Structures are given as C-alpha cells and as structure tokens.
Amino acid sequence: MMNMKGIWTKQTLINLLLGQFLSLLITSTGFLSSELARKGINAPTSQSFLNYVLLALFYGVFMIYRQEGIKAKWYFYILLGIVDVEANFLVVKAYQYTSLTSVMLLDCWAIPCVLLFTWFFLKTKYRPRKLVGVAICIAGIVLVIFSDVHAEDRSSGSNPIKGDILVIAGATLYAVSNVSEEFFVKSADMVELMAFLGLFGAIVSGCQIGILERNELKSIHWSAGAALPFVGFALAMFLFYSFVPILLKRSGATMLNLALLTSDMWAVVIRIFVYHQKVDWIYFVAFAAVAVGLLIYSGRDKVDKNVADEGIVRSKRFDEETGLDNPARKDAIESSRTEESFDAETVPGIYGR
C-alpha cells in the first residue's frame, strides 16, 4: 500500500510546482512559435539564438567572477550545444508544417527515450511505483490524443506528416540533452553548464543562421508584431533553461519530462481563452490523470541503510572507472549522491552531458 506521507512532502510539492512553472514556460514558447509561423516567419534557429546569447552572458559573468576551474571537459559541452541547438531547430521547424497540438502531443516521445537513456547510461533504477506513475501520465496524454485526433486542429498545417517526423526527431534529441544535463548538473556545476551551453549554442546557432536562414531574416518586415514574439520566445526560453537544471538535480530527467506533459493541458487553456475554441471534457480527465501520475512518480521511497550504502559503494566504483580525481569535483558529486542514495533510485553509471 502506498504511503501518502512519503508523497506529500515539502520537497515533492516544490518539485511539482517547479515542474508546472517550467510547463507553463514551454507552453508559452510553443504558443509564440505558432504565432510566428502564422505570420509567415520561418526562422527556427534565429528564435533560439538570442536565448543562447543571454545564457552565455548571464552565466559567463558568474563564471568569470568566481574564477574557478572547469569541472568537465569543454568538448563535451560542444557536443551538448550541437544536440540542443538541433533539437530546438527541429521542433520549432515543425510548427511550419503542423499544428500546436500535434507538436505538443508528439513531443511526449521524449519520455520513453529518457527512461531508456537514464537506464542504459546513468544506470538509473526505476521501482515499479515509478513506472506506474509514468504509465498513468502517458495514459492521460493518450486520452487527449483520442479526443483530439479528429479535431480540425490536428489536421491543420501544410504537411502534417513531415511536421510529425521533425517533432519525433527533435524529441529524441531533447531526451539526449536532458539526460546529459542531469549528469553535468550533478557531477559538474549548473553555472558552468549554462555558460558553456549558451556559448557553444550561440556559436552553432550563428553558423547555422548564416547558412540556412540568412535570406529568411532579410525578408522579414520587422514590426512590433514580429519582434515581440521573437523577444518573448527568447526570454521564456532563458527562464526555462535557467530553472531546468534545478529540477534535474532535485528529481532527474524523467520527472522533468513528465512534468512537461501538462504543457498539453496549458495549451488547451490557450485554445479556450485566446482562440475561443471549445474543448472536450476528456481534457480535464486527462489533466487529472497526469496530475495523479506525477504525484505517484515524485513520491519518495523509504529505504534502509544497506540500500543507501550499496549506492555509495557503486558511486565510488564510478569514480574509479571515470577517473574523477579532482577533490572539488568529488565533493560536488558526493553531495549529489548523498541525496540519490537516500532516494535509492539512481545509481550513477558511465555517461556525460
């Protein structure tokens, strides 16, 4: 029988609220991308470029002020920057070919990818209760799909199939990005992660803009109606990127992607109040299902000392395998692992984002 006291903790509530804040931010980026596509502005990499610049400037200043050494290999951040830029490019590009609802539904593909990647690379152990929570969350989204599959919004777009393929590819890269960030934020440092992700993300985006979107930017007739969605998208993405590492450190990449499932529900709110569309009652049932699934997944387990000690022993083996002999880095990782051992879910393996 599930212990509700283990679920309704202060940490659980904070994680859920933080997840919903991130969900609202991602919903706003989807809404702004859809609005830009409606205006005929098709520059997905340019939309993300300003976000990366903001990250590089804001967190780069903190890195310079602290004057600390880099805790992770810099070339890993280059790979992360490429993956993250292309994930954003593919998903934002999809808005040109399919609807807001389609993008947000198919984006759920990131969840099974995250489960697979964390299990294979990070050696994360998922207890049956966690998997039940995931299944309930996905079931809630399936209800939305069944309700929305014949709706006009689902079939809108110039090329829905192409748009769907782009979303699935982007969601896979998002999973790689999220799992990698979970590793870096626990083994390295959040400020370092954001600064280098912003730096290399801006460089990769700038090169891609020069190759693919130079003519598109020249053809845009800049006005308040065109500039405001661009700026709003960048600010929402900056906040999203800034708070994602916090949730990743507290709950992991799977919890992040489950929390973002409710972005589909917030999209329904936009459809009701912005587009004045009517929605089916099943949306509210689906929202309740996702909420219950999140509660079940985010609840903490009570574990004995032997299980916790086992996690610490495997963590030490991880240090030997990866050569983490930097004292400062080991202290940061050990602090993170103390929480993980208590939670008895994640046993670090060999990986790096």
Side-chain angles (χ1 to χ4, degrees), residues 9 19 31 34-35 39 55 66 72 78 118 177 181 183 187 272 276 292 320 344:
T9 64
F31 171 71
S34 181
E35 285 299 302
K39 296 177 184 296
L55 289 173
R66 294 188 315 180
I78 295 180
T118 52
S177 179
E181 283 185 26
F183 175 86
S187 64
I272 295 173
H276 305 290
V292 170
E320 296 174 358

PDB file of all heavy atoms in Angstrom, residues 9 19 31 34-35 39 55 66 72 78 118 177 181 183 187 272 276 292 320 344:
ATOM      1  N   THR A   9       5.377  15.467   0.770  1.00  0.00           N
ATOM      2  CA  THR A   9       6.462  16.122   1.484  1.00  0.00           C
ATOM      3  C   THR A   9       6.687  17.501   0.882  1.00  0.00           C
ATOM      4  O   THR A   9       6.227  17.807  -0.223  1.00  0.00           O
ATOM      5  CB  THR A   9       7.765  15.307   1.386  1.00  0.00           C
ATOM      6  OG1 THR A   9       8.167  15.254  -0.005  1.00  0.00           O
ATOM      7  CG2 THR A   9       7.565  13.895   1.897  1.00  0.00           C
ATOM      8  N   GLY A  19       7.958  22.076 -11.633  1.00  0.00           N
ATOM      9  CA  GLY A  19       7.660  21.415 -12.903  1.00  0.00           C
ATOM     10  C   GLY A  19       6.551  22.115 -13.662  1.00  0.00           C
ATOM     11  O   GLY A  19       6.607  22.243 -14.891  1.00  0.00           O
ATOM     12  N   PHE A  31       3.381  28.478 -28.020  1.00  0.00           N
ATOM     13  CA  PHE A  31       2.391  29.446 -28.487  1.00  0.00           C
ATOM     14  C   PHE A  31       3.044  30.533 -29.331  1.00  0.00           C
ATOM     15  O   PHE A  31       2.550  30.898 -30.407  1.00  0.00           O
ATOM     16  CB  PHE A  31       1.690  30.067 -27.274  1.00  0.00           C
ATOM     17  CG  PHE A  31       0.811  31.233 -27.600  1.00  0.00           C
ATOM     18  CD1 PHE A  31      -0.384  31.053 -28.271  1.00  0.00           C
ATOM     19  CD2 PHE A  31       1.179  32.522 -27.243  1.00  0.00           C
ATOM     20  CE1 PHE A  31      -1.203  32.133 -28.582  1.00  0.00           C
ATOM     21  CE2 PHE A  31       0.378  33.597 -27.541  1.00  0.00           C
ATOM     22  CZ  PHE A  31      -0.817  33.407 -28.218  1.00  0.00           C
ATOM     23  N   SER A  34       4.121  29.181 -32.688  1.00  0.00           N
ATOM     24  CA  SER A  34       2.953  29.017 -33.545  1.00  0.00           C
ATOM     25  C   SER A  34       2.508  30.355 -34.119  1.00  0.00           C
ATOM     26  O   SER A  34       2.129  30.454 -35.299  1.00  0.00           O
ATOM     27  CB  SER A  34       1.811  28.381 -32.746  1.00  0.00           C
ATOM     28  OG  SER A  34       0.677  28.178 -33.552  1.00  0.00           O
ATOM     29  N   GLU A  35       2.580  31.405 -33.306  1.00  0.00           N
ATOM     30  CA  GLU A  35       2.201  32.743 -33.775  1.00  0.00           C
ATOM     31  C   GLU A  35       3.153  33.242 -34.854  1.00  0.00           C
ATOM     32  O   GLU A  35       2.729  33.841 -35.848  1.00  0.00           O
ATOM     33  CB  GLU A  35       2.184  33.722 -32.594  1.00  0.00           C
ATOM     34  CG  GLU A  35       0.984  33.570 -31.684  1.00  0.00           C
ATOM     35  CD  GLU A  35      -0.322  33.824 -32.418  1.00  0.00           C
ATOM     36  OE1 GLU A  35      -0.487  34.932 -32.974  1.00  0.00           O
ATOM     37  OE2 GLU A  35      -1.168  32.910 -32.461  1.00  0.00           O
ATOM     38  N   LYS A  39       2.421  34.130 -38.912  1.00  0.00           N
ATOM     39  CA  LYS A  39       2.803  35.376 -39.575  1.00  0.00           C
ATOM     40  C   LYS A  39       3.742  35.138 -40.750  1.00  0.00           C
ATOM     41  O   LYS A  39       4.210  36.090 -41.392  1.00  0.00           O
ATOM     42  CB  LYS A  39       3.468  36.325 -38.562  1.00  0.00           C
ATOM     43  CG  LYS A  39       2.556  36.779 -37.435  1.00  0.00           C
ATOM     44  CD  LYS A  39       3.303  37.652 -36.442  1.00  0.00           C
ATOM     45  CE  LYS A  39       2.420  38.035 -35.262  1.00  0.00           C
ATOM     46  NZ  LYS A  39       1.273  38.872 -35.673  1.00  0.00           N
ATOM     47  N   LEU A  55      22.107  33.297 -22.116  1.00  0.00           N
ATOM     48  CA  LEU A  55      22.707  32.323 -21.203  1.00  0.00           C
ATOM     49  C   LEU A  55      24.214  32.524 -21.088  1.00  0.00           C
ATOM     50  O   LEU A  55      24.774  32.497 -19.978  1.00  0.00           O
ATOM     51  CB  LEU A  55      22.419  30.901 -21.695  1.00  0.00           C
ATOM     52  CG  LEU A  55      20.988  30.389 -21.582  1.00  0.00           C
ATOM     53  CD1 LEU A  55      20.862  29.040 -22.272  1.00  0.00           C
ATOM     54  CD2 LEU A  55      20.563  30.266 -20.125  1.00  0.00           C
ATOM     55  N   ARG A  66      33.703  34.057 -10.279  1.00  0.00           N
ATOM     56  CA  ARG A  66      34.103  33.008  -9.335  1.00  0.00           C
ATOM     57  C   ARG A  66      35.554  32.583  -9.522  1.00  0.00           C
ATOM     58  O   ARG A  66      36.214  32.149  -8.589  1.00  0.00           O
ATOM     59  CB  ARG A  66      33.202  31.785  -9.489  1.00  0.00           C
ATOM     60  CG  ARG A  66      31.769  32.016  -9.091  1.00  0.00           C
ATOM     61  CD  ARG A  66      30.990  30.720  -9.074  1.00  0.00           C
ATOM     62  NE  ARG A  66      31.239  29.883 -10.242  1.00  0.00           N
ATOM     63  CZ  ARG A  66      30.671  28.704 -10.443  1.00  0.00           C
ATOM     64  NH1 ARG A  66      29.839  28.217  -9.536  1.00  0.00           N
ATOM     65  NH2 ARG A  66      30.925  28.007 -11.526  1.00  0.00           N
ATOM     66  N   ALA A  72      34.272  19.948 -15.993  1.00  0.00           N
ATOM     67  CA  ALA A  72      34.018  18.931 -17.012  1.00  0.00           C
ATOM     68  C   ALA A  72      34.814  19.270 -18.266  1.00  0.00           C
ATOM     69  O   ALA A  72      35.278  20.404 -18.438  1.00  0.00           O
ATOM     70  CB  ALA A  72      32.529  18.846 -17.340  1.00  0.00           C
ATOM     71  N   ILE A  78      30.583  21.221 -26.191  1.00  0.00           N
ATOM     72  CA  ILE A  78      30.386  21.489 -27.621  1.00  0.00           C
ATOM     73  C   ILE A  78      29.359  20.512 -28.191  1.00  0.00           C
ATOM     74  O   ILE A  78      28.431  20.906 -28.909  1.00  0.00           O
ATOM     75  CB  ILE A  78      31.716  21.385 -28.402  1.00  0.00           C
ATOM     76  CG1 ILE A  78      32.688  22.478 -27.962  1.00  0.00           C
ATOM     77  CG2 ILE A  78      31.463  21.479 -29.905  1.00  0.00           C
ATOM     78  CD1 ILE A  78      34.021  22.429 -28.688  1.00  0.00           C
ATOM     79  N   THR A 118      18.470   6.993 -19.392  1.00  0.00           N
ATOM     80  CA  THR A 118      18.888   7.026 -17.987  1.00  0.00           C
ATOM     81  C   THR A 118      19.157   5.615 -17.460  1.00  0.00           C
ATOM     82  O   THR A 118      20.058   5.400 -16.652  1.00  0.00           O
ATOM     83  CB  THR A 118      17.830   7.712 -17.103  1.00  0.00           C
ATOM     84  OG1 THR A 118      16.541   7.107 -17.331  1.00  0.00           O
ATOM     85  CG2 THR A 118      17.746   9.194 -17.403  1.00  0.00           C
ATOM     86  N   SER A 177      19.658  15.537 -24.637  1.00  0.00           N
ATOM     87  CA  SER A 177      20.056  16.781 -23.981  1.00  0.00           C
ATOM     88  C   SER A 177      19.696  16.780 -22.499  1.00  0.00           C
ATOM     89  O   SER A 177      20.514  17.128 -21.647  1.00  0.00           O
ATOM     90  CB  SER A 177      19.382  17.969 -24.695  1.00  0.00           C
ATOM     91  OG  SER A 177      19.729  19.190 -24.082  1.00  0.00           O
ATOM     92  N   GLU A 181      22.285  16.819 -19.387  1.00  0.00           N
ATOM     93  CA  GLU A 181      22.258  17.908 -18.416  1.00  0.00           C
ATOM     94  C   GLU A 181      22.133  17.377 -16.996  1.00  0.00           C
ATOM     95  O   GLU A 181      22.715  17.933 -16.058  1.00  0.00           O
ATOM     96  CB  GLU A 181      21.106  18.869 -18.723  1.00  0.00           C
ATOM     97  CG  GLU A 181      21.375  19.811 -19.874  1.00  0.00           C
ATOM     98  CD  GLU A 181      20.263  20.825 -20.068  1.00  0.00           C
ATOM     99  OE1 GLU A 181      19.556  21.126 -19.077  1.00  0.00           O
ATOM    100  OE2 GLU A 181      20.108  21.310 -21.191  1.00  0.00           O
ATOM    101  N   PHE A 183      23.385  14.676 -15.842  1.00  0.00           N
ATOM    102  CA  PHE A 183      24.724  14.249 -15.427  1.00  0.00           C
ATOM    103  C   PHE A 183      25.593  15.452 -15.067  1.00  0.00           C
ATOM    104  O   PHE A 183      26.217  15.494 -14.010  1.00  0.00           O
ATOM    105  CB  PHE A 183      25.401  13.446 -16.534  1.00  0.00           C
ATOM    106  CG  PHE A 183      26.823  13.079 -16.211  1.00  0.00           C
ATOM    107  CD1 PHE A 183      27.104  11.942 -15.483  1.00  0.00           C
ATOM    108  CD2 PHE A 183      27.862  13.894 -16.622  1.00  0.00           C
ATOM    109  CE1 PHE A 183      28.420  11.614 -15.164  1.00  0.00           C
ATOM    110  CE2 PHE A 183      29.174  13.570 -16.314  1.00  0.00           C
ATOM    111  CZ  PHE A 183      29.455  12.435 -15.581  1.00  0.00           C
ATOM    112  N   SER A 187      27.359  16.287 -11.537  1.00  0.00           N
ATOM    113  CA  SER A 187      28.786  15.980 -11.456  1.00  0.00           C
ATOM    114  C   SER A 187      29.675  17.195 -11.679  1.00  0.00           C
ATOM    115  O   SER A 187      30.834  17.199 -11.261  1.00  0.00           O
ATOM    116  CB  SER A 187      29.155  14.907 -12.484  1.00  0.00           C
ATOM    117  OG  SER A 187      28.957  15.385 -13.797  1.00  0.00           O
ATOM    118  N   ILE A 272      -8.804  27.857 -25.246  1.00  0.00           N
ATOM    119  CA  ILE A 272     -10.088  28.319 -24.712  1.00  0.00           C
ATOM    120  C   ILE A 272     -10.135  29.839 -24.612  1.00  0.00           C
ATOM    121  O   ILE A 272     -11.091  30.479 -25.070  1.00  0.00           O
ATOM    122  CB  ILE A 272     -10.356  27.685 -23.331  1.00  0.00           C
ATOM    123  CG1 ILE A 272     -10.524  26.164 -23.469  1.00  0.00           C
ATOM    124  CG2 ILE A 272     -11.599  28.299 -22.689  1.00  0.00           C
ATOM    125  CD1 ILE A 272     -10.625  25.446 -22.137  1.00  0.00           C
ATOM    126  N   HIS A 276     -10.603  31.072 -28.290  1.00  0.00           N
ATOM    127  CA  HIS A 276     -12.049  30.919 -28.033  1.00  0.00           C
ATOM    128  C   HIS A 276     -12.607  29.644 -28.648  1.00  0.00           C
ATOM    129  O   HIS A 276     -13.680  29.638 -29.245  1.00  0.00           O
ATOM    130  CB  HIS A 276     -12.814  32.143 -28.559  1.00  0.00           C
ATOM    131  CG  HIS A 276     -12.293  33.435 -28.009  1.00  0.00           C
ATOM    132  ND1 HIS A 276     -12.448  33.806 -26.687  1.00  0.00           N
ATOM    133  CD2 HIS A 276     -11.599  34.449 -28.607  1.00  0.00           C
ATOM    134  CE1 HIS A 276     -11.882  34.993 -26.490  1.00  0.00           C
ATOM    135  NE2 HIS A 276     -11.358  35.394 -27.639  1.00  0.00           N
ATOM    136  N   VAL A 292      -2.173  12.903 -11.107  1.00  0.00           N
ATOM    137  CA  VAL A 292      -2.047  11.732 -10.239  1.00  0.00           C
ATOM    138  C   VAL A 292      -0.743  10.982 -10.546  1.00  0.00           C
ATOM    139  O   VAL A 292      -0.017  10.561  -9.631  1.00  0.00           O
ATOM    140  CB  VAL A 292      -3.264  10.793 -10.400  1.00  0.00           C
ATOM    141  CG1 VAL A 292      -3.017   9.471  -9.689  1.00  0.00           C
ATOM    142  CG2 VAL A 292      -4.521  11.463  -9.870  1.00  0.00           C
ATOM    143  N   GLU A 320      36.304   5.493  -9.805  1.00  0.00           N
ATOM    144  CA  GLU A 320      37.482   4.785 -10.266  1.00  0.00           C
ATOM    145  C   GLU A 320      37.456   4.556 -11.766  1.00  0.00           C
ATOM    146  O   GLU A 320      38.471   4.672 -12.447  1.00  0.00           O
ATOM    147  CB  GLU A 320      37.578   3.441  -9.545  1.00  0.00           C
ATOM    148  CG  GLU A 320      37.787   3.586  -8.035  1.00  0.00           C
ATOM    149  CD  GLU A 320      37.743   2.245  -7.321  1.00  0.00           C
ATOM    150  OE1 GLU A 320      37.500   1.234  -8.042  1.00  0.00           O
ATOM    151  OE2 GLU A 320      37.950   2.198  -6.105  1.00  0.00           O
ATOM    152  N   ALA A 344      17.433   6.213  -3.266  1.00  0.00           N
ATOM    153  CA  ALA A 344      17.587   4.820  -3.749  1.00  0.00           C
ATOM    154  C   ALA A 344      16.975   4.583  -5.097  1.00  0.00           C
ATOM    155  O   ALA A 344      16.430   3.549  -5.378  1.00  0.00           O
ATOM    156  CB  ALA A 344      17.003   3.830  -2.743  1.00  0.00           C
TER     157      ALA A 344
END
